[in-house]
């Protein structure tokens, strides 16, 4: 049945290549000569589409003459998505495909579409119709049904999807492979994706960097937001760094735009598809309804745009145009009188867009059934002559006008807040410094033996520039006391037992030890309490005074590799429950960016009028941790808590750390 | 011109009362006999609609014979919205109206509408058409243009707005008056509002309580989110409690539902208008697309619904219906095969709704052009026979089906996440304990003189049960030393100077004073440093040991009165920058609700495995502060920071406080 659907769809969309039905039971199908098998076809096949039962597929592949077929699309389901039996079939299918040097989309894909050539190899109902808007959007979707629903909904909104790929089970080609192959094409301007599971972290980063270098946006909708971090996680990092948080950190780092839902995705696509690139994020908001203007302003600021006031020259021009009681500001409230004058509305928007003070504009049109046609013409003309992006919020256009707004030369979204929010997101994206691919220094792998002992760990940390307190790893009370006496200040005494998980709870730490007697009591007490684990000695550390406590952690994500995280430290970790994150390697300037948001920014800025703390030393430490993570792949997690950050210029010290293999 | 619009609109909508045009220049208008002035009309007038120039309005009102006109609607603009001159006119207008005992909507209103009787007294284009869906929604809007745009957009989505009031400048009747008059009507099921400025805090609370008692939801869209708290604020409370935060606290306290944008408002209205009341918030999600189901689940959990797994009986029924590889869980993934079987989809949803395990359901329909008609019939039948609410996410219905979905017996929203989020919001609202109007104890006003001195303040705090440290207000070193010696523990020494703003910064505090000598030094030093302000003495306080630091504050909002706020205290206030808030009076159980969210819940719960802290003592203190705020109206702000909350059972102590008149 699937094959019949595909054949009909390809003919309906006037595929401009040859279609060769293959089915041993028929001499012809739908007027086309039918082949008994692939081997009977004369010449090479670019794409073979399979819609046969899962159980017979492997045999069909094995029967393909070597080199005859370049790639296949498997629509058939009944593979890994149905359980162990299907997974076995899928495994055999992959083996068969690899043996023939064939690349595969699927199985369990609803199809692939390239409307430019009429290649509509899909069983989706979305392509039952052929009256699609033209456009340069490519969608790669890990859900066939939801993906085609997005296409259909987008088409109803006037969005032109040129490519659609349902990735299916991704047994061979994955989301990232397919997206990379699309984004480099000249006829793709925006790539969007529906994602459940990024299987190929390095490939995804490569895709994002490719997109950035081509100045093409990637907009994704990713499911799985509420999936909590593993409850059984052994460290804070483990508990706080869930897989969705990691994906978000990757999106943030590589300027991938994440939509909150399908509606938001379509709104963002409209902005990127239909408005020119912005040079900055200064937004002018023009409205004939005070309310709509304020709502738009709220949303734009929230999404990161700035709303500068009009400069004097612009003010003068607007004052001349508008009634005395208009509010000449940003948002500009032209008042209700303007709603009856299309040319006035367009002209106010033009005045603001022509000013150097603005990079983009939003016009809020509340309800103007009477002047709609004129306004559309004026705005189409403006879009043609203006190289800055603008969006229009147009509530409830007339039935006659609605279809014409869908093909307007500018993006239209009904709600003012949503229009302004989506445009602001575009401005922020386009004015962000492009994330350049970093040359990763080939690191030297940290020897496993070194990570297994306390003295080895200390040596590694020192080598990677992660400052520890002055300390001695004592194996006798004499050694310990010699250190304390020389320091002549209170010390902390800690068991050095790398395999002990909860050192404090086990009674392995005594703080503020200020005399020889106290040290002896602490030393002996600790050794008496800690049993049944390897003990490397007892650490005697100086106590670190003034400073703030910061948490620095690392978790190795199975998809994206080491992720470095930071937040307020000590006992504040649980209180905040949220960390700034970035994939390794993190250079010091990137680490500074991690520290730039609340609450770390407030903490480091020396809040409460106090002095500022050594932000650059902390950034360097975070960077160093990220390089250590890359060079010590057997470490699953690292945790430095607290890192005491001292006043500016005095550096920072990792007072305590924990490694998790 | 405005008058002509209104006349045409009233006739178009077949107003079922008498329309009496008034205009001295014409003998008749549009076939109706025209009166020279209101006085010439025989009998009483229920509503007079004015569309005359602002400058002449007052005279027209003054010419109305006493008692002839009950209420007026003023469409004319040119009043306070245009500046000082207009404000003067508005003031005179209000005087004239009051003198005649007339109630007024406006000026600067775009009109009022009651579709039930064809009263369409508006200049808005939204009522150019008459083919409106019937419904029980009332909209009161502080923006005329945005309000009518919402009506028009809602109508396009199938929502039935029966009442619409544009409040204009609210010179007489305000948002709250108008909303209260509508919500009590039997033909209003849902009240929605667009708000910029709640002028009447007490009236708003009354409105919300009235709505709760009638089991009718209020859904508002409020502008002004990003408006920051006053920068010049003198206390943390002042800085952290902005007017939008206060409004949000009022909404939360009184179960008013806030939409994030116009689209969200319409989605929420669909849920309340078209689905029955829910008894709980356990939601079943049914989808034929795994992706859509996961997105819906994310959004529903985010909005506060719970997603219990199907009980065994339900599992068995579903297993029987579905293919072996469907995922029998919640979300239920029926797999793509179901998309071709309308009866199967409806039957799975029915099975889950019929179970006691669920209070409501969401069905996600990705794209089913082929089975659309059948599914709609099945679901309409389900809605008819089922007393639990369900919503359907239906992406991209066919052009033929779309208008029929707008009049379906159940709410339809295109995007699965948005459908589930909006329904979940409804469930949370309907299963929340209804906020009962509280009898406010008539408090005794705190004498001003008492608040002016340190000893008076201490007496007031003690009377209101706000525990302070053991302390003495010493006026001599002897007194101070006597207290310290008796306590026999380190003390804190603080200047008692009620008018001094920054006591610590001025050198007015010395902590950890542990001997007679140290006390003498601290006492004399403080008195030497603090000059040029009234000094009531020196406070000698015990030092409070174990406990956590909490911030409790109060700010008197000009609209809503005293707002009580709480958050992590000490130096953490700025770090979090967000407080839990509630309007006074706050009873201890309401205060407990303030403490139930992060980060306070984490802090009090005794995080890091530590013991829990005295949550009920803190709740009592917050409640006491709220009653003090009501009884001491001259205090603009109060701040208790830190309140040290001791381990469970040991109470809490306000270590430091600040009053701001």
């Amino acid at each position: 049945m699937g094959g019949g659907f595909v054949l009909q769809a390809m003919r309906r969309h006037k595929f401009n290549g040859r279609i060769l039905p293959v089915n041993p039971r028929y001499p012809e199908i739908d007027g086309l000569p039918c082949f008994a098998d692939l081997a009977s076809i004369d010449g090479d096949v670019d794409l073979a589409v399979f819609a046969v039962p899962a159980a017979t597929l492997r045999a069909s592949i094995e029967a393909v003459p070597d080199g005859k077929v370049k790639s296949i699309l498997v629509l058939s389901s009944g593979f890994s998505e149905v359980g162990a039996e299907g997974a076995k079939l899928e495994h055999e299918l992959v083996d068969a495909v690899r043996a023939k040097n064939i690349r595969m989309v699927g199985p369990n894909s609803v199809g692939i579409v390239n409307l430019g050539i009429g290649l509509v190899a899909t069983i989706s109902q979305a392509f039952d119709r052929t009256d699609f808007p033209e456009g340069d959007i490519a969608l790669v979707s890990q859900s066939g049904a939801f993906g085609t629903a997005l296409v259909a909904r987008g088409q109803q909104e006037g969005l032109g999807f040129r490519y659609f790929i349902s990735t299916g089970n991704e047994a061979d080609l994955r989301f990232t492979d397919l997206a990379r192959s699309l984004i480099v094409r000249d006829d793709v301007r925006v790539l969007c994706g529906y994602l459940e599971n990024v299987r190929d972290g390095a490939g995804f980063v490569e895709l994002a960097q490719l997109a950035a270098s081509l100045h093409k946006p990637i907009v994704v909708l990713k499911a799985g937001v509420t999936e909590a971090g593993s409850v059984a996680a052994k460290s804070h990092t483990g508990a706080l760094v869930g897989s969705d948080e990691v994906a978000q950190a990757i999106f943030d780092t590589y300027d991938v735009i994440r939509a909150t839902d399908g509606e938001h995705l379509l709104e963002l696509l409209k902005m990127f598809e239909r408005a020119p690139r912005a040079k900055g994020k200064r937004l002018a908001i023009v409205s004939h309804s005070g309310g709509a203007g304020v709502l738009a302003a709220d949303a734009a600021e929230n999404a990161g745009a700035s709303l500068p006031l009009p400069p004097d020259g612009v003010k003068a021009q607007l004052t001349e145009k508008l009634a005395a009681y208009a509010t000449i500001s940003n948002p500009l409230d032209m008042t209700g009188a303007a709603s009856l004058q299309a040319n006035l509305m367009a002209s106010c928007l033009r005045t603001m867009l022509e000013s150097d003070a603005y990079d983009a504009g939003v016009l809020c049109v509340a309800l103007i059934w009477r002047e709609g046609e004129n306004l559309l013409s004026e705005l189409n003309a403006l879009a043609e002559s203006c190289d800055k992006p603008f969006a229009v919020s147009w509530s409830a256009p007339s039935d006659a006008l609605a279809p014409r707004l869908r093909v307007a030369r500018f993006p239209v979204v009904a709600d003012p807040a949503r229009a302004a929010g989506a445009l602001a997101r575009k401005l922020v994206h386009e004015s962000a410094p492009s994330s350049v691919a970093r040359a990763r220094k080939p690191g030297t792998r940290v020897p496993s033996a070194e990570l297994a002992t306390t003295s080895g760990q200390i040596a590694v940390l020192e080598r990677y520039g992660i400052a520890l307190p002055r300390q001695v790893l004592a194996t006798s009370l004499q050694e310990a006391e010699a250190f304390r006496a020389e320091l002549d200040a209170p010390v902390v005494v800690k068991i050095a037992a790398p395999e002990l998980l909860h050192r404090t709870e086990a009674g392995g730490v005594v703080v503020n030890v200020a005399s020889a007697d106290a040290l002896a009591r602490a030393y002996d007490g600790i050794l008496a309490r800690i049993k049944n684990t390897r003990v490397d000695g007892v650490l005697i550390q100086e106590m670190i005074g003034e400073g703030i406590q910061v948490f620095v952690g690392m978790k190795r994500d199975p998809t994206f590799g080491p992720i470095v995280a930071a937040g307020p430290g000590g006992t504040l970790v649980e209180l905040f429950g949220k960390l700034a994150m970035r994939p390794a390697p993190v250079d010091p300037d990137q680490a500074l960016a991690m520290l730039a948001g609340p609450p770390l920014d407030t903490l480091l800025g020396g809040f409460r009028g106090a002095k500022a703390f050594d932000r650059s030393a902390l950034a360097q430490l975070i960077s160093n941790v990220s390089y250590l993570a890359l060079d010590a792949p057997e470490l699953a997690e690292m945790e430095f808590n607290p890192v005491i950050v001292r006043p500016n210029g005095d550096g920072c010290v990792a007072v305590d750390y924990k490694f998790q293999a």
Side-chain angles (χ1 to χ4, degrees), chain A residues 56 92 254 263 265 278 288 333 371 397 401 415 529 590 602:
Chain A
T56 71
E92 291 168 3
Y254 295 102
E263 221 56 49
L265 179 72
H288 64 89
D333 182 2
E371 273 286 278
L401 197 62
D415 184 70
R529 285 189 292 273
Q590 297 174 322
T602 316

Side-chain angles (χ1 to χ4, degrees), chain A residues 54-363:
Chain A
T56 71
L57 188 54
R58 174 189 170 190
S60 305
I61 302 288
E62 286 173 348
V64 173
D66 285 354
K68 185 168 200 77
V69 173
K70 268 199 253 173
S71 40
I72 66 172
L73 161 66
V74 180
L75 303 171
S76 325
S77 53
F79 290 92
S80 60
E81 81 281 8
V82 304
E85 193 62 28
K88 191 164 159 274
L89 287 178
E90 188 166 307
H91 198 76
E92 291 168 3
L93 170 62
V94 171
D95 286 346
V97 162
R98 298 238 160 106
K100 295 281 176 187
N101 210 15
I102 292 171
R103 298 314 299 262
M104 169 173 68
V105 172
N108 194 30
S109 162
V110 307
I112 65 180
V113 172
N114 172 355
L115 282 180
I117 57 168
L119 175 78
V120 181
T122 176
I123 48 174
S124 163
Q125 306 178 36
F127 299 87
D128 281 8
R129 51 202 296 177
T130 55
D131 55 338
F132 294 145
E134 288 219 351
D136 302 323
I137 303 174
L139 169 64
V140 183
S141 178
Q142 289 190 330
S143 163
F146 186 69
T148 51
L150 269 183
V151 168
R153 174 122 185 72
Q155 283 163 342
Q156 288 184 346
E157 292 275 323
L159 285 168
F161 288 89
R162 183 184 296 276
Y163 294 93
F164 166 67
I165 301 182
S166 155
T167 65
N169 294 357
E170 303 191 4
D172 179 28
L173 290 166
R174 293 155 305 183
F175 178 93
T176 43
D177 303 314
L178 296 162
R180 281 205 307 270
S181 74
L182 289 177
I183 203 155
V184 295
R185 300 185 75 102
D186 286 340
D187 55 2
V188 170
R189 225 180 118 186
V190 186
L191 183 102
C192 68
Y194 169 76
L195 274 174
E196 289 174 2
N197 179 7
V198 180
R199 292 179 171 85
D200 170 22
F204 190 86
V205 168
E206 221 177 279
L207 165 67
Q209 292 183 323
L210 186 58
S213 72
L214 294 166
H215 294 296
K216 294 180 184 180
I218 300 179
V219 187
V220 298
L221 180 57
K222 182 184 174 295
V225 178
T226 50
E227 176 212 16
S230 162
V231 176
K234 292 200 183 90
S235 70
H236 294 305
T237 326
L240 294 171
V241 183
S243 72
D244 192 72
E245 283 84 0
V246 169
Q248 187 61 55
I250 297 289
F251 298 158
D252 292 344
T253 302
Y254 295 102
D255 295 329
V256 171
I257 299 149
R258 183 179 194 168
T260 53
D261 52 51
E263 221 56 49
H264 189 215
L265 179 72
L266 298 181
E267 289 156 5
L268 290 166
L269 290 178
K270 285 182 188 176
M271 299 302 154
F272 282 106
E273 187 212 37
R274 207 144 314 174
R277 223 179 134 75
K279 295 202 175 61
K281 49 187 184 179
R282 298 164 307 160
L283 183 64
I285 295 178
V286 179
S287 176
H288 64 89
S289 148
V294 176
L295 289 168
D298 281 351
E301 287 198 338
N302 223 18
S306 68
L307 298 175
L309 293 175
D312 289 344
V314 174
K315 262 191 176 162
Q317 288 179 67
L318 293 171
T319 305
E320 208 165 290
K321 288 180 211 286
L322 290 166
Y325 43 87
T327 308
I328 312 290
S329 183
N330 189 16
L332 170 68
D333 182 2
M334 302 177 292
T335 79
S339 69
L340 300 172
Q341 300 168 67
N343 59 344
L344 178 62
M345 288 191 270
S347 141
C348 287
L349 178 61
R350 185 188 289 272
T351 298
M352 290 182 90
L353 284 174
E354 281 174 353
S355 158
D356 286 345
Y358 298 107
D359 303 304
V362 169
L363 174 67

Side-chain angles (χ1 to χ4, degrees), chain A residues 537-557:
Chain A
V538 177
L539 280 168
I540 317 297
Q541 297 181 331
E542 68 172 328
M543 290 191 62
I544 304 294
E546 196 188 5
I548 50 156
Q549 300 199 334
V550 170
F551 170 98
V552 175
M554 182 285 295
K555 182 183 177 183
R556 199 168 302 275
D557 183 77

